[in-house]
Amino acid sequence: MQKTVEKENLNPYEIVQRQIDAAAALLQLPSHAVEILKRPKRVLAVSFPVKMDDGSVRVFEGFRSQHNDAVGPTKGGIRFHPDVTMDEVKALSMWMSFKCGVVGLPYGGGKGGVICDPHELSPGELERVSRGFMEAIADIVGPDTDIPAPDVYTTPQIMGWMMDTYSRLKGAYSPGVITGKPIAVGGSKGRNEATARGCVFTILEALKDSGRKPAETTVAIQGFGNAGRIAARLLTELGFRIVAVSDSRGGIYDRAGLNIPKVGQLKDTSTILDYPGATVITNEQLLELEVDILIPAALENVITAENAGRIRAKWIAEAANGPTTPDADAILREKGVVVIPDILANAGGVTVSYFEWVQNLMHYYWSEQEVNEKLQTAMVNAYRAVAELAKKYNVDLRTGAYMISLLRIKEAMEARGWI
């Protein structure tokens, strides 16, 4: 008789709740504390009209989720994507809480999204959507309450428009309301590279534990947007061999190593699939290549129970949010694959966003070298703390990262008398 295989649950909101339960059980947290942490404090759903270039009016929908503000104001990106859902935004806000906890930032998690395809919008339409969404959520965001930032398909320019809209509504210049802005309006040097740079710092720490040298190490990167592209450049500069990269159209593979500046040039002018001499592969094939390090730098749920058994990487560094499901995690753990979890590996972005916010509040700005040095200290300390706790409890790095964050948020809730 053929065995029936249960379909894996890929709902990100339910996935993060499972991850919380697993870490909370090891810490023996009280059930009422766990129940608070398994739900966002506030979720706002909005719809707003935008006049299109042809004179028609289109109504857009969006969301803003604020998970927990026991430690400080909520913080997290805004994504523009056709597949944005409320459950996705809620889950991402929760992951942000734990990400901030891992690196010890005085923030809770927030997240926002607008259901749209920015590739189908003209520059003028994109600006009006950006301003319209900020107008719709302005009552619940602010430098002391909730600070948005860029995410999938949003840019420093979009953040600049949103900051300007908020400032107009409040009648005062308010750069601290949003991070990831252009330098000219209070952005921080080093912010654009921060997510990728932070991920690279955690990879270097993981390699130190194994004694492996960068020059001996092969890397495949799924996703050639901001995080994936910059990670590829930084790793190449350190001597790693990038053998495969991909974007939404597909991927390229060359065992001898790719010329990353050439890949970037093709990305800007035509398509990376035009890279001469490389084998064209699918995004799914890239995940299963025999490499030392795999970096998922695109969207969530790309490594699942269905394909985890075919993953041949020794390390996975999650530059994307939620790329690995809990069922896949269990399979990878059995195979001995070390997963540097998203809430640690890609925390560099929110760390430098915190630096930007601090600079905005004190109106004093640091050099790029200062920013990168502070980022390195934060990421190395976070990796070491997670690795030590994981070793103490004999758990994987993801569970260790959740345990550190849960303890920090629980202590703040106790200190404020919530529990």
Side-chain angles (χ1 to χ4, degrees), residues 253-325:
Y253 170 67
D254 184 345
R255 189 73 195 171
L258 297 166
N259 180 326
I260 295 303
K262 174 69 175 174
V263 178
Q265 185 182 25
L266 288 170
K267 174 74 175 174
D268 294 336
T269 56
S270 56
T271 169
I272 65 171
L273 304 183
D274 290 340
Y275 188 92
T279 303
V280 175
I281 57 174
T282 65
N283 271 285
E284 292 74 24
Q285 287 172 325
L286 181 142
L287 296 170
E288 298 171 16
L289 290 172
E290 187 174 350
V291 292
D292 296 309
I293 298 172
L294 171 64
I295 303 178
L299 296 173
E300 57 265 16
N301 294 336
V302 295
I303 302 175
T304 66
E306 192 278 325
N307 66 355
R310 299 191 298 274
I311 300 291
R312 291 184 284 174
K314 299 178 182 70
W315 291 272
I316 296 174
E318 296 182 334
N321 291 312
T324 310
T325 67

Side-chain angles (χ1 to χ4, degrees), residues 66-124:
Q66 299 167 343
H67 174 232
N68 186 291
D69 58 2
V71 175
T74 50
K75 179 88 190 75
I78 293 171
R79 61 178 48 186
F80 285 0
H81 197 277
D83 297 330
V84 165
T85 67
M86 182 181 283
D87 273 1
E88 177 191 49
V89 169
K90 285 158 68 175
L92 289 163
S93 73
M94 293 161 78
W95 277 319
M96 279 300 302
S97 282
F98 303 119
K99 190 180 300 183
C100 292
V102 167
V103 284
L105 303 180
Y107 287 144
K111 208 74 177 186
V114 176
I115 303 170
C116 69
D117 185 348
H119 299 110
E120 295 177 354
L121 302 174
S122 71

Side-chain angles (χ1 to χ4, degrees), residues 134 138 141-143 162-171 174 177:
M134 176 51 84
V141 302
M162 289 186 176
M163 184 278 289
D164 178 70
T165 300
Y166 182 87
S167 296
R168 293 185 191 190
L169 290 170
K170 301 302 176 184
S174 304
V177 69

Side-chain angles (χ1 to χ4, degrees), residues 21 61 71 74 117-118 128 137 143 154 177 194 245 255-256 331 335 340 349 357 360 373:
D21 279 333
E61 291 182 88
V71 175
T74 50
D117 185 348
R128 293 192 288 276
I137 65 171
T154 51
V177 69
V245 300
R255 189 73 195 171
I331 295 167
K335 286 165 59 75
I340 308 173
W357 178 70
N360 292 158
E373 287 172 355

Side-chain angles (χ1 to χ4, degrees), residues 34-77:
V34 179
E35 288 307 306
I36 293 171
L37 292 167
K38 285 173 69 174
R39 295 168 179 80
K41 176 180 180 178
R42 180 185 295 111
V43 184
L44 176 67
V46 299
S47 60
F48 55 97
V50 172
K51 185 167 283 188
M52 309 303 282
D53 288 348
D54 64 2
S56 65
V57 175
R58 180 176 161 192
V59 177
F60 289 82
E61 291 182 88
F63 311 97
R64 185 70 185 174
S65 175
Q66 299 167 343
H67 174 232
N68 186 291
D69 58 2
V71 175
T74 50
K75 179 88 190 75

